[in-house]
Amino acid sequence: MKVRGRLTTVRRAAEGDADLLVRWHADPDVARYWDDEVFTREEMVERLRRPDVEAFVIEEGARPVGYLQVWAEGDGYGLDMFLIPAARGRGLGPDAARAIARHLRFERGCSRVTVDPYLWNGAALRAWRRAGFRDIEEREPASEHTARWILMEFDG
């Protein structure tokens, strides 16, 4: 499956992407946004096989530039995403997020698409807002969040 934005293409991640994803997560400038999680190749392959999470690679042209994951959440879907440092600041993240959120809403017919960025991550907050997400509610740290975060919902 491929979802096309104006600037990006979002395609399903495959086992062949595992080494690339391991390298990306090992980059401190990526890991810091994912609670410093790093993975071995075997762990990444297992993550790609999770039945409850769809993993995607974001491409600019034919070049992989980021990762996006989707999981079912109640009557909708939740998203997580990162771009590699060299791809940031050009609108690629908002483009990919908007494309996948529209796909989930209008192709799959889900009623709600949400994201949950940390409040300290100003760049992510701006990117999600540019993609069409609006602030819903600030929340305290919980099992999957190590700092205050905000629930945002796609409005597009």
Side-chain angles (χ1 to χ4, degrees):
M1 174 184 103
K2 288 188 177 184
V3 176
R4 297 190 192 286
R6 193 173 54 79
L7 304 171
T8 60
T9 300
V10 180
R11 65 160 174 86
R12 287 298 297 260
E15 190 171 318
D17 296 307
D19 291 329
L20 175 65
L21 294 172
V22 167
R23 279 194 313 275
W24 284 351
H25 277 278
D27 181 337
D29 203 27
V30 170
R32 72 186 182 114
Y33 296 107
W34 284 63
D35 295 326
D36 294 314
E37 288 184 306
V38 294
F39 306 96
T40 66
R41 183 181 199 294
E42 294 74 27
E43 290 169 332
M44 185 56 69
V45 168
E46 287 303 310
R47 290 179 64 80
L48 293 173
R49 292 179 180 161
R50 292 178 293 178
D52 57 340
V53 177
E54 295 175 75
F56 296 91
V57 171
I58 301 165
E59 296 178 330
E60 178 186 29
R63 189 176 77 115
V65 295
Y67 174 77
L68 190 147
Q69 64 184 23
V70 176
W71 69 93
E73 183 174 71
D75 61 348
Y77 292 94
L79 307 179
D80 285 315
M81 177 179 66
F82 69 78
L83 294 178
I84 60 173
R88 296 176 187 158
R90 299 197 317 263
L92 302 176
D95 183 73
R98 186 179 314 107
I100 202 75
R102 285 180 176 162
H103 170 79
L104 295 170
R105 288 282 305 277
F106 304 118
E107 301 294 319
R108 292 194 188 176
C110 81
S111 61
R112 188 173 189 198
V113 180
T114 61
V115 296
D116 58 354
Y118 288 125
L119 287 172
W120 59 259
N121 190 347
L125 295 172
R126 288 186 299 277
W128 289 118
R129 289 174 183 138
R130 284 193 356 248
F133 287 80
R134 64 181 169 85
D135 300 7
I136 300 295
E137 177 183 29
E138 291 184 18
R139 298 196 177 166
E140 295 298 323
S143 61
E144 292 188 17
H145 299 90
T146 60
R148 286 184 54 80
W149 57 284
I150 187 164
L151 178 66
M152 302 174 84
E153 184 174 339
F154 185 65
D155 236 4

